[in-house]
Amino acid sequence: MTWQEICKEKKAHQLDGVPKEWLASDVPPATHLSVIDYPRQTKVLSPLDLEITDSTVATLLANLASSQWSSVQVTTSFYKRAIVAQQLTNCLTEIFVDRALARAKELDEHLAKTGKVVGALHGLPISLKDQIGIKGIESCMGYVSWVGKVVEKNSALVDILESLGAVPFVKTNIPQTLMWPETFNHVFGRTSNPYNRSLTSGGSSGGEGALIALKGSPLGVGSDIGGSVRIPAAFCGIYGFRSSYNRIPYAGCANSMEGQDSVHSVLGPMSNTLDGIKTFYKAVSSERPWLKDAMVIRKPWSEEEYKLVDHGNGGKLCFAIMWDDGVIAPHPPIRRGLEITKMRYWPQVIKPYKQAEITHTIGAIWAAGAAEDFKTAAAPSGEPVISSMGIESQAEDPELSFRPTDPPGKDPTSAFELWQIQKKRRDLRQEYLEHWADTVSQTGTGRPVDAIISPVAPYTAPPHGLNKFAQYTMTWNLLDYPALVVPVSKVDQAADVKQPRSEFYTDDDRENYELYNPATYENAPISIQVVGRTMEDEAVIAMSEIVDEALRKTESGTKKSKF
Amino acid sequence: MTWQEICKEKKAHQLDGVPKEWLASDVPPATHLSVIDYPRQTKVLSPLDLEITDSTVATLLANLASSQWSSVQVTTSFYKRAIVAQQLTNCLTEIFVDRALARAKELDEHLAKTGKVVGALHGLPISLKDQIGIKGIESCMGYVSWVGKVVEKNSALVDILESLGAVPFVKTNIPQTLMWPETFNHVFGRTSNPYNRSLTSGGSSGGEGALIALKGSPLGVGSDIGGSVRIPAAFCGIYGFRSSYNRIPYAGCANSMEGQDSVHSVLGPMSNTLDGIKTFYKAVSSERPWLKDAMVIRKPWSEEEYKLVDHGNGGKLCFAIMWDDGVIAPHPPIRRGLEITKMRYWPQVIKPYKQAEITHTIGAIWAAGAAEDFKTAAAPSGEPVISSMGIESQAEDPELSFRPTDPPGKDPTSAFELWQIQKKRRDLRQEYLEHWADTVSQTGTGRPVDAIISPVAPYTAPPHGLNKFAQYTMTWNLLDYPALVVPVSKVDQAADVKQPRSEFYTDDDRENYELYNPATYENAPISIQVVGRTMEDEAVIAMSEIVDEALRKTESGTKKSKF
């Protein structure tokens, strides 16, 4: 078979196991851009399905534990909504209804028999990015060459999730190579943004972003090496957490650029509520994941750090806003998102520090072996390595696309040259530590700033193929800072007008400025990220809760915040 | 100046700041091999000097805190003994008497004035491997090119040690490049083993090994990327700890192969007593080193883990002995060291697991850029990169020397090739985790083995230039397992007879077998290492204390243990 035939065949059978009655027959046409409210309209979902799928993770877990809702019921409701989401945005890869419902039934029976839940996630359906290995299911990751290769052993995370009582029920779409901040591959196609289908869902965890925004999953797991959890979370208006390296187990997952030991990809939770993020992180990190994955740091969930012992017990926090990185100025909606967040605090401004150098360094580390890695994975089937996330017409112009992983020169980078780049990374981490520590003189708390509030991207979700600048997320990956995305509002054409500007930091800055017009971005979510220092994961969750609560309070008082 | 002239000049001034009365005039000639008891004989050291320098770290700290001994007195006594050690074994690099005594005086004045110690190491002299940066002092690391370059800023560790009240007083010798398990460079020359000066002190922290064995320092800091703390500790009969990656801060130190992000060098304490190891590790890791060094894991000293909560609270431990790695069989004294240790326990045998592959992988990671790194550092002065640790006649035969960092082929390794090797490393770490976990069925404790007792090398200290096989230490670096060297006994010609053997695992095994004859190794210390799982540093210290106590108990009862 040609690679195209393999793709066609795989895609043709994607919905094979899905009951016919779960398929909506009145799906809006592609020209209908916002589909975020469609699940409420389709007859596929019953009032109970809607009640369940609209619930927070905390409510779901409580009602599952009390047997008010069975896991079979909850899993079925989310499955139905996930299939609707698939019809609307093409967000799924693997679908395994029978298996998931059988697992749910086992959990229900266990609870009925013993009166006890299996673990902290008892009965909860959970969606997983395609790369996360589940025994017996494929993880082709959008590579045609890998289609049909069934995973032989659960990944460490899936083992832990199952021991906690979770029900993995769908896998979600990604870009080929994982190294794009959008979501398109030859096997499964493109995932769109449910708020505006002419816009990207972001990537590489774009399937999770679209699925969770449509409430087709209460909790999902993505991965992030340069923004791949946070970009789709921000573009799709949900919460997403890039934790520090090696806290959540990665062993047993498919991946790109394996063996790259300097800037690690991390798995991270995505959810409609912060309680979903915290519940996942606390549950997984409390399960001694270092006994399952040799790379995981022996550091269990710290309730002390969550209570902000190192941040004045949360009493008077001082956040610093990074309005602009001095390389690419954010679009008006992003600036408004920061303004809304600022209203509730007494924030300092943190000066950008060597942002261009940081971006260059992380890009160069990836580029050192990326081209060869991608080629090696794609070659066996004959499919080309994708060179653009644009729709067909854009794909012709490689300049239009974001390619963080192009090799810097023609010769392959040598190991010694890579060491020099990695040395630069270490130095930048050390310098940024000192840069952060130096803020102690400005805060009035006796501490340096407690967290940084930063844009997630210089724009809200752009049209497909135009997500070119990922430095607002990549920065924190290079520094290994935990960062949690919190939704703030949505683009409002009246509020987010384009301002004239005649001077630009860089050509990229000008290009980005020209990209903006309010109509294109209508309805796109606006988000910020709360950034802490390395391994302050628990504190970042706690500080995000404080920010989030403040933002939700303004919800009723001001039109500026819509979530 | 030629590089030879630079070396001569530097060496000529090494003792410039040392008071004449500290220099022993009756130093034994080189033909006198064991000098371990010489400090007791020289007139340079007074009875009080001997009493102080023979004390444990705990006694020193108690007497310093109570002002029974001033820091000036303690520092002077150790300095005098360190200079004697220098005359006997050539173990020092930088010597800065005035500065150290001025610091000691400040500490004494502070205590007299406030009645309080500055910190947990108040007044304690501490020796540092040459690479550890102290503001105002050189760290040429044996490279002629770096002679005269004064360090501008304290390393993070020195900042912390000073805040704890320690008194850095000497720096210690290393091999050029640091990547040899012996100690010789063109600037400072060779360090010998005080138990038998025809034998190597080991390396790369060989200066520390010889100095501490002669009690010229109560506590020193070495570094270990493949055994560089443990090999000299074992060869010189002292304690030495390779902790897990990124617990002890490394920022601000000179190093080899910087930017190599896969197998990290770590700093580790060396001392004559385990209390020195614990005191250092607990004090430094409790000082929030992650605020000083961006690479340090936010994981403070855990008293719980030290109390062995994950090991049945220390009640009934099960150790596994690795008698032999199946690649190179240890010499008879090493085997006897393991037998002595075994007497006190109920140990299981842990099967070696892919030892050859582990050694090959770590060697290949280093080799990927090592040759270029060494060349770059050595080139400016014109000095050659050293290709053997042998004495002159041996230096002619490169086959005689251990060179873990030779490139595997002629072409430089590409970054992508390096990633493939590093992927192998990750897989081996994961496999070993499972290999360890599988021992649960054999222990009878309900847990896998609590620790592994392993040789440190397949021999006790060999003659200069013949330390070729470092896999017994490198294994734990690849796996990032903390490992603590505990001395057991000394070579005894009557007990450690050569046994006939006709079959060999490998050519290296045969070569190693042929290397042994009891007379050559007379008086050399025998040691073992206690190995735990990643980040179990506190538990490894606690388990080593248990092993050590048992070994010390046999001391009076049996001739087998001499320490």
Side-chain angles (χ1 to χ4, degrees):
Chain A
M1 283 204 285
T2 65
W3 67 265
Q4 293 93 336
E5 286 163 348
I6 296 169
C7 293
K8 208 172 158 189
E9 170 87 4
K10 172 88 182 160
K11 189 75 182 164
H13 291 288
Q14 192 180 18
L15 296 175
D16 276 1
V18 176
K20 292 234 159 42
E21 61 274 21
W22 291 5
L23 293 166
S25 54
D26 57 346
V27 176
T31 50
H32 190 107
L33 297 183
S34 173
V35 294
I36 198 73
D37 294 325
Y38 175 78
R40 239 158 253 301
Q41 295 148 18
T42 175
K43 285 179 192 137
V44 164
L45 300 171
S46 70
L48 178 59
D49 290 331
L50 288 173
E51 186 191 346
I52 288 171
T53 51
D54 283 344
S55 298
T56 63
V57 167
T59 301
L60 289 164
L61 288 172
N63 287 353
L64 282 160
S66 69
S67 298
Q68 184 175 336
W69 293 335
S70 71
S71 179
V72 167
Q73 175 64 60
V74 170
T75 304
T76 303
S77 296
F78 275 105
Y79 235 134
K80 288 163 74 176
R81 197 157 175 166
I83 300 299
V84 169
Q86 167 66 5
Q87 291 178 278
L88 297 169
T89 64
N90 191 43
C91 54
L92 303 182
T93 60
E94 306 294 333
I95 299 167
F96 36 97
V97 179
D98 289 350
R99 176 181 168 138
L101 290 178
R103 161 82 178 149
K105 189 157 168 275
E106 270 175 35
L107 291 163
D108 288 337
E109 286 167 0
H110 174 93
L111 180 57
K113 205 157 119 188
T114 65
K116 284 180 186 160
V117 297
V118 163
L121 302 178
H122 185 96
L124 190 74
I126 194 160
S127 50
L128 300 172
K129 190 173 183 177
D130 192 71
Q131 68 186 124
I132 298 171
I134 306 177
K135 185 181 172 178
I137 293 173
E138 290 180 37
S139 271
C140 83
M141 233 177 68
Y143 277 125
V144 185
S145 328
W146 298 359
V147 169
K149 288 186 187 160
V150 169
V151 172
E152 287 172 14
K153 198 179 161 191
N154 271 349
S155 55
L157 180 65
V158 168
D159 263 350
I160 287 173
L161 290 174
E162 292 191 344
S163 74
L164 290 166
V167 182
F169 77 117
V170 286
K171 294 182 84 175
T172 57
N173 206 18
I174 70 286
Q176 187 208 49
T177 77
L178 299 184
M179 295 304 288
W180 292 92
E182 303 197 20
T183 296
F184 168 69
N185 64 72
H186 294 131
V187 180
F188 298 107
R190 178 188 307 282
T191 302
S192 295
N193 192 314
Y195 281 93
N196 180 336
R197 292 194 288 179
S198 71
L199 307 177
T200 177
S201 61
S204 64
S205 314
E208 286 296 335
L211 174 68
I212 294 169
L214 283 162
K215 300 190 176 169
S217 168
L219 183 60
V221 186
S223 67
D224 192 317
I225 194 174
S228 283
V229 159
R230 289 163 292 153
I231 293 166
F235 287 3
C236 297
I238 66 172
Y239 299 82
F241 186 34
R242 188 214 93 93
S243 60
S244 303
Y245 298 160
N246 298 328
R247 296 279 312 257
I248 303 296
Y250 214 118
C253 295
N255 207 352
S256 263
M257 310 202 303
E258 291 198 280
Q260 186 273 96
D261 272 353
S262 190
V263 176
H264 298 272
S265 173
V266 305
L267 298 182
M270 302 169 77
S271 185
N272 277 300
T273 53
L274 258 177
D275 89 72
I277 304 292
K278 183 192 166 191
T279 300
F280 171 92
Y281 194 85
K282 183 175 173 177
V284 173
S285 62
S286 300
E287 281 289 291
R288 305 163 66 79
W290 53 86
L291 296 179
K292 299 267 183 192
D293 180 339
M295 305 305 287
V296 169
I297 298 297
R298 187 183 185 86
K299 182 172 161 66
W301 171 265
S302 165
E303 197 65 25
E304 267 207 335
E305 297 207 24
Y306 175 69
K307 286 182 180 155
L308 297 172
V309 283
D310 289 337
H311 298 271
N313 300 308
K316 192 192 163 195
L317 296 172
C318 181
F319 294 115
I321 288 191
M322 190 165 87
W323 293 97
D324 182 324
D325 72 357
V327 181
I328 299 182
H331 285 177
I334 301 299
R335 195 159 176 103
R336 186 163 62 82
L338 296 171
E339 297 273 7
I340 293 168
T341 312
K342 177 177 175 245
M343 291 193 316
R344 301 287 314 173
Y345 291 97
W346 317 269
Q348 301 295 319
V349 173
I350 192 150
K351 283 188 206 147
Y353 184 81
K354 298 195 179 175
Q355 292 295 144
E357 228 168 304
I358 288 172
T359 310
H360 175 79
T361 302
I362 187 170
I365 288 170
W366 296 340
E372 213 161 337
D373 183 90
F374 302 165
K375 212 171 55 186
T376 305
S381 72
E383 77 165 321
V385 174
I386 292 175
S387 65
S388 159
M389 285 284 120
I391 51 175
E392 282 59 42
S393 61
Q394 289 161 349
E396 303 306 311
D397 182 358
E399 288 307 307
L400 274 176
S401 57
F402 167 80
R403 288 167 304 161
T405 50
D406 280 0
K410 270 162 197 160
D411 292 328
T413 307
S414 77
F416 180 69
E417 287 162 345
L418 176 61
W419 288 3
Q420 306 321 302
I421 305 166
Q422 291 178 166
K423 182 180 170 193
K424 181 79 201 165
R425 178 195 76 111
R426 186 203 60 186
D427 292 345
L428 286 166
R429 282 187 67 176
Q430 186 66 17
E431 290 171 35
Y432 214 102
L433 177 145
E434 287 159 19
H435 179 61
W436 189 309
D438 285 349
T439 62
V440 69
S441 60
Q442 304 156 42
T443 57
T445 61
R447 302 185 302 275
V449 297
D450 294 293
I452 294 173
I453 308 283
S454 156
V456 184
Y459 31 59
T460 54
H464 297 293
L466 296 178
N467 187 13
K468 297 177 63 176
F469 307 119
Q471 54 261 60
Y472 281 96
T473 47
M474 287 159 70
T475 298
W476 315 122
N477 295 84
L478 179 123
L479 297 169
D480 190 22
Y481 288 176
L484 205 158
V485 170
V486 176
V488 177
S489 186
K490 287 195 281 180
V491 172
D492 174 333
Q493 293 197 45
D496 298 318
V497 295
K498 189 167 187 169
Q499 302 294 339
R501 231 184 123 194
S502 57
E503 289 187 17
F504 298 94
Y505 302 131
T506 56
D507 288 348
D508 286 345
D509 184 31
R510 177 194 297 272
E511 186 183 328
N512 186 55
Y513 172 79
E514 286 166 3
L515 196 64
Y516 185 64
N517 75 69
T520 303
Y521 294 84
E522 179 63 20
N523 210 38
I526 299 170
S527 301
I528 53 101
Q529 55 185 329
V530 178
V531 181
R533 285 176 288 182
T534 310
M535 288 281 164
E536 286 206 295
D537 300 44
E538 293 89 337
V540 166
I541 292 173
M543 291 190 282
S544 299
E545 287 172 348
I546 291 169
V547 170
D548 190 56
E549 199 187 354
L551 286 169
R552 285 341 117 202
K553 272 187 193 154
T554 56
E555 205 167 344
S556 47
T558 161
K559 193 174 166 282
K560 285 183 186 172
S561 173
K562 281 198 190 173
F563 276 82
Chain B
M1 284 206 285
T2 64
W3 67 265
Q4 292 93 337
E5 285 164 348
I6 296 169
C7 293
K8 206 171 162 189
E9 170 89 6
K10 173 85 184 162
K11 192 74 182 162
H13 292 287
Q14 192 180 18
L15 295 176
D16 275 1
V18 176
K20 293 235 160 37
E21 61 275 23
W22 293 4
L23 293 167
S25 54
D26 57 348
V27 176
T31 49
H32 190 107
L33 297 182
S34 173
V35 294
I36 198 72
D37 295 324
Y38 174 78
R40 238 159 254 299
Q41 295 149 17
T42 175
K43 286 180 191 136
V44 165
L45 300 171
S46 71
L48 178 59
D49 290 331
L50 287 174
E51 185 190 347
I52 288 172
T53 52
D54 282 344
S55 299
T56 64
V57 168
T59 301
L60 289 165
L61 288 172
N63 288 352
L64 282 160
S66 68
S67 298
Q68 184 177 335
W69 292 334
S70 71
S71 178
V72 167
Q73 174 64 59
V74 171
T75 304
T76 302
S77 296
F78 276 105
Y79 236 134
K80 287 163 76 177
R81 196 155 175 167
I83 298 301
V84 170
Q86 167 68 6
Q87 292 178 278
L88 297 170
T89 63
N90 191 42
C91 54
L92 305 181
T93 59
E94 305 294 334
I95 299 167
F96 34 96
V97 180
D98 289 352
R99 177 180 167 138
L101 290 178
R103 160 83 178 148
K105 188 157 170 273
E106 269 174 36
L107 290 163
D108 288 336
E109 287 167 358
H110 173 93
L111 181 57
K113 205 158 118 187
T114 66
K116 285 180 187 159
V117 297
V118 162
L121 302 178
H122 186 97
L124 190 74
I126 192 161
S127 50
L128 301 171
K129 190 173 182 178
D130 191 71
Q131 68 186 123
I132 299 171
I134 306 177
K135 185 179 171 178
I137 293 172
E138 290 180 39
S139 271
C140 83
M141 233 176 68
Y143 277 127
V144 184
S145 327
W146 297 359
V147 169
K149 287 186 188 160
V150 169
V151 171
E152 287 172 11
K153 200 179 159 191
N154 270 350
S155 55
L157 179 65
V158 168
D159 264 351
I160 288 173
L161 289 175
E162 290 192 344
S163 74
L164 289 166
V167 182
F169 77 117
V170 285
K171 295 183 83 177
T172 57
N173 205 20
I174 70 287
Q176 186 206 52
T177 78
L178 300 183
M179 295 304 288
W180 291 93
E182 303 197 20
T183 295
F184 167 70
N185 64 74
H186 294 133
V187 180
F188 299 107
R190 178 186 309 280
T191 302
S192 296
N193 193 314
Y195 281 93
N196 180 337
R197 292 192 290 179
S198 71
L199 307 176
T200 176
S201 62
S204 63
S205 314
E208 287 296 336
L211 173 68
I212 295 170
L214 284 162
K215 300 191 175 169
S217 167
L219 183 61
V221 186
S223 68
D224 192 317
I225 194 174
S228 283
V229 159
R230 289 163 292 154
I231 293 167
F235 287 3
C236 297
I238 65 172
Y239 299 81
F241 186 32
R242 187 215 93 95
S243 60
S244 303
Y245 297 161
N246 297 327
R247 296 277 315 256
I248 303 298
Y250 215 117
C253 295
N255 207 351
S256 261
M257 311 202 303
E258 290 199 282
Q260 186 272 97
D261 272 353
S262 192
V263 176
H264 298 272
S265 173
V266 305
L267 299 183
M270 302 169 77
S271 185
N272 278 301
T273 53
L274 258 177
D275 88 72
I277 304 292
K278 183 192 166 191
T279 300
F280 171 92
Y281 194 85
K282 183 175 174 178
V284 172
S285 63
S286 299
E287 280 289 291
R288 304 163 67 78
W290 52 86
L291 297 178
K292 298 270 184 190
D293 180 339
M295 306 305 286
V296 170
I297 298 296
R298 187 183 185 84
K299 183 172 162 64
W301 171 265
S302 165
E303 198 64 25
E304 266 206 336
E305 298 207 24
Y306 175 68
K307 286 182 180 152
L308 297 173
V309 283
D310 290 337
H311 297 273
N313 299 309
K316 191 190 162 196
L317 297 171
C318 180
F319 295 114
I321 288 192
M322 190 165 89
W323 293 98
D324 182 322
D325 72 356
V327 181
I328 298 183
H331 285 179
I334 302 298
R335 195 159 176 103
R336 186 164 61 85
L338 296 171
E339 298 273 7
I340 294 170
T341 312
K342 178 178 176 246
M343 291 193 314
R344 300 288 312 172
Y345 293 98
W346 317 268
Q348 300 296 320
V349 173
I350 192 151
K351 283 187 206 146
Y353 185 81
K354 297 193 180 178
Q355 292 295 142
E357 228 169 303
I358 288 173
T359 310
H360 175 79
T361 302
I362 187 170
I365 288 169
W366 297 339
E372 212 161 338
D373 183 271
F374 302 164
K375 211 171 56 186
T376 305
S381 72
E383 76 165 320
V385 175
I386 292 175
S387 65
S388 160
M389 286 283 120
I391 51 175
E392 281 60 40
S393 61
Q394 288 160 348
E396 304 307 310
D397 182 359
E399 288 308 307
L400 274 175
S401 57
F402 167 80
R403 286 168 304 160
T405 50
D406 280 0
K410 271 161 193 160
D411 292 326
T413 307
S414 76
F416 180 69
E417 288 162 345
L418 176 60
W419 289 2
Q420 306 320 301
I421 305 166
Q422 291 178 165
K423 183 180 167 192
K424 182 77 202 164
R425 178 195 76 111
R426 186 203 58 186
D427 293 345
L428 286 166
R429 282 187 65 176
Q430 186 66 18
E431 289 170 36
Y432 215 102
L433 176 144
E434 287 159 22
H435 178 62
W436 190 307
D438 285 348
T439 61
V440 71
S441 61
Q442 304 156 41
T443 57
T445 61
R447 303 185 303 275
V449 297
D450 294 293
I452 295 173
I453 308 282
S454 157
V456 185
Y459 30 59
T460 54
H464 298 292
L466 295 179
N467 187 12
K468 296 178 65 178
F469 306 119
Q471 52 262 57
Y472 281 95
T473 47
M474 287 160 71
T475 297
W476 315 121
N477 294 84
L478 180 122
L479 298 168
D480 190 22
Y481 287 175
L484 206 157
V485 169
V486 176
V488 177
S489 187
K490 287 196 281 180
V491 173
D492 175 332
Q493 294 197 46
D496 299 316
V497 295
K498 190 167 185 168
Q499 302 294 338
R501 231 183 123 196
S502 57
E503 289 187 19
F504 298 95
Y505 302 130
T506 56
D507 289 348
D508 286 346
D509 184 31
R510 177 193 298 271
E511 186 183 330
N512 186 56
Y513 172 79
E514 286 165 0
L515 196 64
Y516 185 66
N517 75 69
T520 305
Y521 294 85
E522 179 63 21
N523 209 38
I526 298 170
S527 302
I528 53 101
Q529 55 185 328
V530 179
V531 181
R533 285 177 289 182
T534 311
M535 286 282 164
E536 286 206 292
D537 300 44
E538 292 89 338
V540 166
I541 291 172
M543 291 190 282
S544 299
E545 287 172 349
I546 292 169
V547 171
D548 189 56
E549 200 188 352
L551 286 169
R552 285 340 117 205
K553 272 187 193 155
T554 55
E555 205 167 345
S556 47
T558 162
K559 195 175 163 277
K560 285 183 184 171
S561 173
K562 281 198 189 172
F563 277 83

